[in-house]
Amino acid sequence: MYFRVGVILFALAISGITAVRAQMCLEDTIRVEEVTIYSTYRQLHTIGTNTIKIDTLRLTNFEGKSLTELLQSTGVNIRSYGVGGLATIAVRGGGSSHTAVVWNGINLQSPLNGGVNLSQFPVSLFSSVSVQHGGNGTVYGSGAVSGIVILENGGLLLQPNGVRTGFIYGSGNTRGANASVKIGNSKSALSLKYSGLFADNDFEFINTYKFGNPRERITNAQAAQHGILTDAVLRFGNNALWNISGWFTHNDKNVQTLMSSSQISQANQLDNNFAVSSNLTGDLPFFSLKLRNAFINGDNHFTDPAAGISSLNTYKQLVNEIELKKTMLKHQELVVGLGYSVDIALSQSYTENALRNRISAYSSLVSHLLGSRIKLVLSLRDELVDGSLIPLVASSGLEYKATKSLMLRASAASSYRLPTLNDLYWSSTTYAVGNPNLEPEYGWNTDLGFDYTIIQNAINLKFSGSYFISRLNRWIVWLPDAQDNNRWKPSNIRTSKSEGFESFISLGVKLKPISIMSDLSYTLTNSKIYDSGSYNGKPMIYIPRHKVGASISIIYGQFNFGYNHSFTSERYTDELNTLPLYNLGDIYMGYSCKAWGSAFMFGVGVNNVWNEQYQLMRNYAMPLRNYFIRLNIDFQSKSTK
């Protein structure tokens, strides 16, 4: 059978039938909004999902910090190997490779290991950060199994011209600077952003692995990080937009000493990542068109003189996509798309240079019924990987506006994750070997939830809740192979089952001269692993059963105050051992003023204000109470009009 063209034929058939019924009505051309150059059409079709967008005030307060710290403040589960070390997000009981990180529509998951190191992404480089709870393989493809982090740089044409700088200094000899400049008008614009951070990271901690629990300092955790992002937008008339974006990050990070080690670590990891994307969006007489092209390059060099290790790994990705969107009968919207991507990797640990070709086809149909009180979406996706078809995935979503304040929603989606190139191509050594016969992981998830919103005078209240169930089959796990001299080898052996409940409350109150914004989130996750080993039926490692996040921000005139709190329950690290629960609190105070045509903001903050001893990953120390100060300056901002 040839590639399943039914995915596209299905969409075209619907389009043709509906177009005939509409008697080929040609509506007035709609002005292309700038947001469409960043979000894929199908991304706008994620109806019925639980998506939390981080507010701009919190983004501002976390300038000079990484996505790791920002996302941790929202109550999601973060796994971090020490201060500034490798950090990944785990949503709804998934692993580190089961949450996609998408930048301007491009999935950034590494083809080498399937993960994304959040500590390498400065918050100040992005204008929008959202977290979608629950996977959707039809929208984002491989790796979007349990959740999606969405990073965007939209709205450039609407932003004022000007220069912005910021400086931060804190405990652990942390020194950081960020700067941005934007010029342009309503037709074209250009921006450039920079973020740099240098730190010794020699924070104090209590070493529970040594007799007497002595107070020590973290060693060999120094870091030097640089990030640059440029963004250019050009509008052609009222019907077309072209955006070119590019970013480069350089991260030189020592790997900190383990708490149980008596020898100071000498390990170091050097990462360089580069990405450039082009997004062209246009409205044509009968449909809208989007062309997306991207090139991603990453290299990782790990050295450990004490162990005699020097490992260099590089990868390149080329992504090409075309999407068509057609509005039919004024209440239906159809999206069809084709994609082609290439993954190339070079590693001293591979049997050969790795190459993977992928061709994908997808379609999505949205219907607005009962005067848009009901939104319904159905999506399909299929993919051809090196000439072999993976299972067809589908998703559906429903939103029903029951009352002016109450929205009911439901969604169901299947998802998949391809084996990483490490899984497939790892060369045969005394201790490990890859497995070229692996099959893709395959799973599904369902959501049932509601959103209740009250907007009255000076009060804005939103309460949402979601019940979820997810399953993942053929989970790829590296384990010793008894039939191969106990060498570590990846196999499709595990099945995971997760279910739980998520709730979120946000409250905004404006009573001049005071503004108050607060939120509270709670997640209950019951996640277990099933396989033939000793861990059968046990809880998923590093997944807390209870997770709570809370924050409050108060603005009084030129002063602002903020407090973030998170609670994480006990987590299993293997079938016998656990890490204890912990509470984290961060406090921040700031003052803003205007002078000489510029805006100034000065702030001070305390991280881990309750001086909690905790670990995110076993044996990796995290800081006790520590401090920072920040200064931001906006120079001569001008309107784009």
PDB file of all heavy atoms in Angstrom, residues 318-343:
ATOM      1  N   LEU A 318      16.245  19.311   9.302  1.00  0.00           N
ATOM      2  CA  LEU A 318      15.660  20.158   8.270  1.00  0.00           C
ATOM      3  C   LEU A 318      14.167  19.883   8.239  1.00  0.00           C
ATOM      4  O   LEU A 318      13.743  18.734   8.094  1.00  0.00           O
ATOM      5  CB  LEU A 318      16.284  19.862   6.906  1.00  0.00           C
ATOM      6  CG  LEU A 318      15.787  20.717   5.728  1.00  0.00           C
ATOM      7  CD1 LEU A 318      16.159  22.177   5.946  1.00  0.00           C
ATOM      8  CD2 LEU A 318      16.380  20.205   4.413  1.00  0.00           C
ATOM      9  N   VAL A 319      13.363  20.945   8.405  1.00  0.00           N
ATOM     10  CA  VAL A 319      11.908  20.795   8.488  1.00  0.00           C
ATOM     11  C   VAL A 319      11.264  21.637   7.397  1.00  0.00           C
ATOM     12  O   VAL A 319      11.590  22.830   7.243  1.00  0.00           O
ATOM     13  CB  VAL A 319      11.384  21.238   9.871  1.00  0.00           C
ATOM     14  CG1 VAL A 319       9.868  21.090   9.943  1.00  0.00           C
ATOM     15  CG2 VAL A 319      12.063  20.450  10.985  1.00  0.00           C
ATOM     16  N   ASN A 320      10.350  21.042   6.643  1.00  0.00           N
ATOM     17  CA  ASN A 320       9.603  21.746   5.602  1.00  0.00           C
ATOM     18  C   ASN A 320       8.126  21.368   5.732  1.00  0.00           C
ATOM     19  O   ASN A 320       7.795  20.176   5.776  1.00  0.00           O
ATOM     20  CB  ASN A 320      10.103  21.372   4.206  1.00  0.00           C
ATOM     21  CG  ASN A 320      11.570  21.702   4.008  1.00  0.00           C
ATOM     22  OD1 ASN A 320      11.933  22.833   3.759  1.00  0.00           O
ATOM     23  ND2 ASN A 320      12.423  20.681   4.123  1.00  0.00           N
ATOM     24  N   GLU A 321       7.249  22.363   5.780  1.00  0.00           N
ATOM     25  CA  GLU A 321       5.821  22.105   5.906  1.00  0.00           C
ATOM     26  C   GLU A 321       5.031  23.070   5.040  1.00  0.00           C
ATOM     27  O   GLU A 321       5.420  24.229   4.862  1.00  0.00           O
ATOM     28  CB  GLU A 321       5.361  22.262   7.369  1.00  0.00           C
ATOM     29  CG  GLU A 321       5.961  21.257   8.321  1.00  0.00           C
ATOM     30  CD  GLU A 321       5.476  21.457   9.745  1.00  0.00           C
ATOM     31  OE1 GLU A 321       4.826  22.487  10.017  1.00  0.00           O
ATOM     32  OE2 GLU A 321       5.735  20.591  10.592  1.00  0.00           O
ATOM     33  N   ILE A 322       3.923  22.585   4.524  1.00  0.00           N
ATOM     34  CA  ILE A 322       2.969  23.421   3.813  1.00  0.00           C
ATOM     35  C   ILE A 322       1.582  23.119   4.360  1.00  0.00           C
ATOM     36  O   ILE A 322       1.217  21.949   4.543  1.00  0.00           O
ATOM     37  CB  ILE A 322       3.019  23.194   2.280  1.00  0.00           C
ATOM     38  CG1 ILE A 322       1.981  24.084   1.585  1.00  0.00           C
ATOM     39  CG2 ILE A 322       2.846  21.728   1.923  1.00  0.00           C
ATOM     40  CD1 ILE A 322       2.091  24.074   0.065  1.00  0.00           C
ATOM     41  N   GLU A 323       0.824  24.156   4.664  1.00  0.00           N
ATOM     42  CA  GLU A 323      -0.520  24.010   5.205  1.00  0.00           C
ATOM     43  C   GLU A 323      -1.488  24.865   4.415  1.00  0.00           C
ATOM     44  O   GLU A 323      -1.161  26.003   4.026  1.00  0.00           O
ATOM     45  CB  GLU A 323      -0.572  24.428   6.681  1.00  0.00           C
ATOM     46  CG  GLU A 323       0.219  23.536   7.610  1.00  0.00           C
ATOM     47  CD  GLU A 323       0.141  24.011   9.050  1.00  0.00           C
ATOM     48  OE1 GLU A 323      -0.418  25.090   9.307  1.00  0.00           O
ATOM     49  OE2 GLU A 323       0.640  23.281   9.920  1.00  0.00           O
ATOM     50  N   LEU A 324      -2.663  24.317   4.182  1.00  0.00           N
ATOM     51  CA  LEU A 324      -3.741  25.040   3.517  1.00  0.00           C
ATOM     52  C   LEU A 324      -4.934  25.100   4.462  1.00  0.00           C
ATOM     53  O   LEU A 324      -5.288  24.108   5.101  1.00  0.00           O
ATOM     54  CB  LEU A 324      -4.149  24.347   2.219  1.00  0.00           C
ATOM     55  CG  LEU A 324      -3.062  24.136   1.158  1.00  0.00           C
ATOM     56  CD1 LEU A 324      -3.642  23.396  -0.045  1.00  0.00           C
ATOM     57  CD2 LEU A 324      -2.476  25.467   0.728  1.00  0.00           C
ATOM     58  N   LYS A 325      -5.557  26.270   4.534  1.00  0.00           N
ATOM     59  CA  LYS A 325      -6.745  26.438   5.374  1.00  0.00           C
ATOM     60  C   LYS A 325      -7.864  27.014   4.532  1.00  0.00           C
ATOM     61  O   LYS A 325      -7.658  27.979   3.782  1.00  0.00           O
ATOM     62  CB  LYS A 325      -6.450  27.365   6.549  1.00  0.00           C
ATOM     63  CG  LYS A 325      -7.665  27.577   7.464  1.00  0.00           C
ATOM     64  CD  LYS A 325      -7.344  28.499   8.626  1.00  0.00           C
ATOM     65  CE  LYS A 325      -7.237  29.937   8.173  1.00  0.00           C
ATOM     66  NZ  LYS A 325      -7.139  30.880   9.317  1.00  0.00           N
ATOM     67  N   LYS A 326      -9.050  26.420   4.642  1.00  0.00           N
ATOM     68  CA  LYS A 326     -10.206  26.885   3.889  1.00  0.00           C
ATOM     69  C   LYS A 326     -11.404  27.024   4.822  1.00  0.00           C
ATOM     70  O   LYS A 326     -11.716  26.117   5.602  1.00  0.00           O
ATOM     71  CB  LYS A 326     -10.547  25.923   2.754  1.00  0.00           C
ATOM     72  CG  LYS A 326     -11.741  26.380   1.914  1.00  0.00           C
ATOM     73  CD  LYS A 326     -11.964  25.481   0.724  1.00  0.00           C
ATOM     74  CE  LYS A 326     -13.199  25.935  -0.072  1.00  0.00           C
ATOM     75  NZ  LYS A 326     -13.080  27.328  -0.535  1.00  0.00           N
ATOM     76  N   THR A 327     -12.072  28.173   4.752  1.00  0.00           N
ATOM     77  CA  THR A 327     -13.298  28.410   5.509  1.00  0.00           C
ATOM     78  C   THR A 327     -14.493  28.064   4.640  1.00  0.00           C
ATOM     79  O   THR A 327     -14.574  28.484   3.485  1.00  0.00           O
ATOM     80  CB  THR A 327     -13.392  29.871   5.963  1.00  0.00           C
ATOM     81  OG1 THR A 327     -12.249  30.182   6.761  1.00  0.00           O
ATOM     82  CG2 THR A 327     -14.655  30.111   6.770  1.00  0.00           C
ATOM     83  N   MET A 328     -15.422  27.278   5.188  1.00  0.00           N
ATOM     84  CA  MET A 328     -16.555  26.781   4.418  1.00  0.00           C
ATOM     85  C   MET A 328     -17.849  27.029   5.190  1.00  0.00           C
ATOM     86  O   MET A 328     -17.903  26.851   6.420  1.00  0.00           O
ATOM     87  CB  MET A 328     -16.393  25.282   4.147  1.00  0.00           C
ATOM     88  CG  MET A 328     -15.062  24.938   3.468  1.00  0.00           C
ATOM     89  SD  MET A 328     -14.787  23.158   3.331  1.00  0.00           S
ATOM     90  CE  MET A 328     -14.701  22.702   5.048  1.00  0.00           C
ATOM     91  N   LEU A 329     -18.883  27.469   4.481  1.00  0.00           N
ATOM     92  CA  LEU A 329     -20.201  27.681   5.069  1.00  0.00           C
ATOM     93  C   LEU A 329     -20.178  28.640   6.262  1.00  0.00           C
ATOM     94  O   LEU A 329     -21.081  28.630   7.077  1.00  0.00           O
ATOM     95  CB  LEU A 329     -20.814  26.343   5.520  1.00  0.00           C
ATOM     96  CG  LEU A 329     -21.281  25.395   4.413  1.00  0.00           C
ATOM     97  CD1 LEU A 329     -21.845  24.137   5.031  1.00  0.00           C
ATOM     98  CD2 LEU A 329     -22.331  26.060   3.536  1.00  0.00           C
ATOM     99  N   LYS A 330     -19.151  29.431   6.355  1.00  0.00           N
ATOM    100  CA  LYS A 330     -18.986  30.425   7.411  1.00  0.00           C
ATOM    101  C   LYS A 330     -18.868  29.829   8.810  1.00  0.00           C
ATOM    102  O   LYS A 330     -18.655  30.560   9.778  1.00  0.00           O
ATOM    103  CB  LYS A 330     -20.121  31.452   7.389  1.00  0.00           C
ATOM    104  CG  LYS A 330     -20.192  32.279   6.118  1.00  0.00           C
ATOM    105  CD  LYS A 330     -21.285  33.333   6.243  1.00  0.00           C
ATOM    106  CE  LYS A 330     -21.362  34.186   4.970  1.00  0.00           C
ATOM    107  NZ  LYS A 330     -22.405  35.232   5.071  1.00  0.00           N
ATOM    108  N   HIS A 331     -19.007  28.494   8.933  1.00  0.00           N
ATOM    109  CA  HIS A 331     -18.928  27.910  10.264  1.00  0.00           C
ATOM    110  C   HIS A 331     -18.031  26.679  10.305  1.00  0.00           C
ATOM    111  O   HIS A 331     -18.008  25.963  11.306  1.00  0.00           O
ATOM    112  CB  HIS A 331     -20.325  27.550  10.788  1.00  0.00           C
ATOM    113  CG  HIS A 331     -21.018  26.502   9.973  1.00  0.00           C
ATOM    114  ND1 HIS A 331     -21.944  26.832   8.997  1.00  0.00           N
ATOM    115  CD2 HIS A 331     -20.930  25.158   9.979  1.00  0.00           C
ATOM    116  CE1 HIS A 331     -22.390  25.709   8.452  1.00  0.00           C
ATOM    117  NE2 HIS A 331     -21.789  24.684   9.029  1.00  0.00           N
ATOM    118  N   GLN A 332     -17.323  26.414   9.231  1.00  0.00           N
ATOM    119  CA  GLN A 332     -16.392  25.300   9.218  1.00  0.00           C
ATOM    120  C   GLN A 332     -15.037  25.764   8.699  1.00  0.00           C
ATOM    121  O   GLN A 332     -14.950  26.644   7.839  1.00  0.00           O
ATOM    122  CB  GLN A 332     -16.904  24.151   8.345  1.00  0.00           C
ATOM    123  CG  GLN A 332     -18.060  23.373   8.957  1.00  0.00           C
ATOM    124  CD  GLN A 332     -18.453  22.191   8.102  1.00  0.00           C
ATOM    125  OE1 GLN A 332     -18.459  22.266   6.878  1.00  0.00           O
ATOM    126  NE2 GLN A 332     -18.783  21.092   8.745  1.00  0.00           N
ATOM    127  N   GLU A 333     -13.992  25.148   9.222  1.00  0.00           N
ATOM    128  CA  GLU A 333     -12.634  25.490   8.830  1.00  0.00           C
ATOM    129  C   GLU A 333     -11.849  24.196   8.656  1.00  0.00           C
ATOM    130  O   GLU A 333     -11.802  23.356   9.562  1.00  0.00           O
ATOM    131  CB  GLU A 333     -11.987  26.369   9.900  1.00  0.00           C
ATOM    132  CG  GLU A 333     -10.624  26.893   9.538  1.00  0.00           C
ATOM    133  CD  GLU A 333     -10.080  27.812  10.605  1.00  0.00           C
ATOM    134  OE1 GLU A 333      -9.470  27.295  11.561  1.00  0.00           O
ATOM    135  OE2 GLU A 333     -10.292  29.033  10.494  1.00  0.00           O
ATOM    136  N   LEU A 334     -11.251  24.042   7.495  1.00  0.00           N
ATOM    137  CA  LEU A 334     -10.505  22.829   7.165  1.00  0.00           C
ATOM    138  C   LEU A 334      -9.037  23.161   6.974  1.00  0.00           C
ATOM    139  O   LEU A 334      -8.688  24.127   6.288  1.00  0.00           O
ATOM    140  CB  LEU A 334     -11.060  22.189   5.890  1.00  0.00           C
ATOM    141  CG  LEU A 334     -10.288  20.973   5.360  1.00  0.00           C
ATOM    142  CD1 LEU A 334     -10.468  19.782   6.291  1.00  0.00           C
ATOM    143  CD2 LEU A 334     -10.749  20.622   3.948  1.00  0.00           C
ATOM    144  N   VAL A 335      -8.177  22.372   7.584  1.00  0.00           N
ATOM    145  CA  VAL A 335      -6.733  22.507   7.420  1.00  0.00           C
ATOM    146  C   VAL A 335      -6.177  21.182   6.923  1.00  0.00           C
ATOM    147  O   VAL A 335      -6.502  20.119   7.467  1.00  0.00           O
ATOM    148  CB  VAL A 335      -6.045  22.887   8.748  1.00  0.00           C
ATOM    149  CG1 VAL A 335      -4.522  22.825   8.604  1.00  0.00           C
ATOM    150  CG2 VAL A 335      -6.459  24.273   9.179  1.00  0.00           C
ATOM    151  N   VAL A 336      -5.386  21.234   5.873  1.00  0.00           N
ATOM    152  CA  VAL A 336      -4.656  20.062   5.403  1.00  0.00           C
ATOM    153  C   VAL A 336      -3.195  20.448   5.267  1.00  0.00           C
ATOM    154  O   VAL A 336      -2.869  21.609   4.975  1.00  0.00           O
ATOM    155  CB  VAL A 336      -5.200  19.524   4.055  1.00  0.00           C
ATOM    156  CG1 VAL A 336      -6.613  19.018   4.209  1.00  0.00           C
ATOM    157  CG2 VAL A 336      -5.129  20.600   2.979  1.00  0.00           C
ATOM    158  N   GLY A 337      -2.307  19.498   5.483  1.00  0.00           N
ATOM    159  CA  GLY A 337      -0.891  19.825   5.428  1.00  0.00           C
ATOM    160  C   GLY A 337      -0.034  18.641   5.074  1.00  0.00           C
ATOM    161  O   GLY A 337      -0.409  17.478   5.263  1.00  0.00           O
ATOM    162  N   LEU A 338       1.131  18.949   4.539  1.00  0.00           N
ATOM    163  CA  LEU A 338       2.164  17.965   4.233  1.00  0.00           C
ATOM    164  C   LEU A 338       3.474  18.447   4.838  1.00  0.00           C
ATOM    165  O   LEU A 338       3.766  19.654   4.857  1.00  0.00           O
ATOM    166  CB  LEU A 338       2.333  17.786   2.730  1.00  0.00           C
ATOM    167  CG  LEU A 338       1.218  17.078   1.958  1.00  0.00           C
ATOM    168  CD1 LEU A 338       1.476  17.164   0.460  1.00  0.00           C
ATOM    169  CD2 LEU A 338       1.120  15.619   2.397  1.00  0.00           C
ATOM    170  N   GLY A 339       4.264  17.509   5.335  1.00  0.00           N
ATOM    171  CA  GLY A 339       5.545  17.865   5.915  1.00  0.00           C
ATOM    172  C   GLY A 339       6.624  16.884   5.519  1.00  0.00           C
ATOM    173  O   GLY A 339       6.358  15.697   5.287  1.00  0.00           O
ATOM    174  N   TYR A 340       7.834  17.401   5.408  1.00  0.00           N
ATOM    175  CA  TYR A 340       9.000  16.546   5.149  1.00  0.00           C
ATOM    176  C   TYR A 340      10.137  17.021   6.034  1.00  0.00           C
ATOM    177  O   TYR A 340      10.437  18.213   6.090  1.00  0.00           O
ATOM    178  CB  TYR A 340       9.430  16.616   3.681  1.00  0.00           C
ATOM    179  CG  TYR A 340      10.746  15.910   3.412  1.00  0.00           C
ATOM    180  CD1 TYR A 340      10.837  14.531   3.493  1.00  0.00           C
ATOM    181  CD2 TYR A 340      11.900  16.639   3.115  1.00  0.00           C
ATOM    182  CE1 TYR A 340      12.043  13.877   3.276  1.00  0.00           C
ATOM    183  CE2 TYR A 340      13.115  15.998   2.887  1.00  0.00           C
ATOM    184  CZ  TYR A 340      13.172  14.617   2.967  1.00  0.00           C
ATOM    185  OH  TYR A 340      14.366  13.971   2.754  1.00  0.00           O
ATOM    186  N   SER A 341      10.758  16.101   6.753  1.00  0.00           N
ATOM    187  CA  SER A 341      11.864  16.458   7.631  1.00  0.00           C
ATOM    188  C   SER A 341      12.961  15.408   7.547  1.00  0.00           C
ATOM    189  O   SER A 341      12.712  14.240   7.238  1.00  0.00           O
ATOM    190  CB  SER A 341      11.388  16.610   9.081  1.00  0.00           C
ATOM    191  OG  SER A 341      10.888  15.377   9.576  1.00  0.00           O
ATOM    192  N   VAL A 342      14.174  15.850   7.831  1.00  0.00           N
ATOM    193  CA  VAL A 342      15.354  14.990   7.818  1.00  0.00           C
ATOM    194  C   VAL A 342      16.094  15.167   9.133  1.00  0.00           C
ATOM    195  O   VAL A 342      16.331  16.294   9.580  1.00  0.00           O
ATOM    196  CB  VAL A 342      16.291  15.328   6.643  1.00  0.00           C
ATOM    197  CG1 VAL A 342      17.504  14.399   6.651  1.00  0.00           C
ATOM    198  CG2 VAL A 342      15.562  15.229   5.318  1.00  0.00           C
ATOM    199  N   ASP A 343      16.458  14.052   9.767  1.00  0.00           N
ATOM    200  CA  ASP A 343      17.281  14.059  10.978  1.00  0.00           C
ATOM    201  C   ASP A 343      18.627  13.440  10.635  1.00  0.00           C
ATOM    202  O   ASP A 343      18.695  12.322  10.105  1.00  0.00           O
ATOM    203  CB  ASP A 343      16.626  13.247  12.100  1.00  0.00           C
ATOM    204  CG  ASP A 343      15.270  13.794  12.503  1.00  0.00           C
ATOM    205  OD1 ASP A 343      15.056  15.008  12.345  1.00  0.00           O
ATOM    206  OD2 ASP A 343      14.427  12.997  12.971  1.00  0.00           O
TER     207      ASP A 343
END
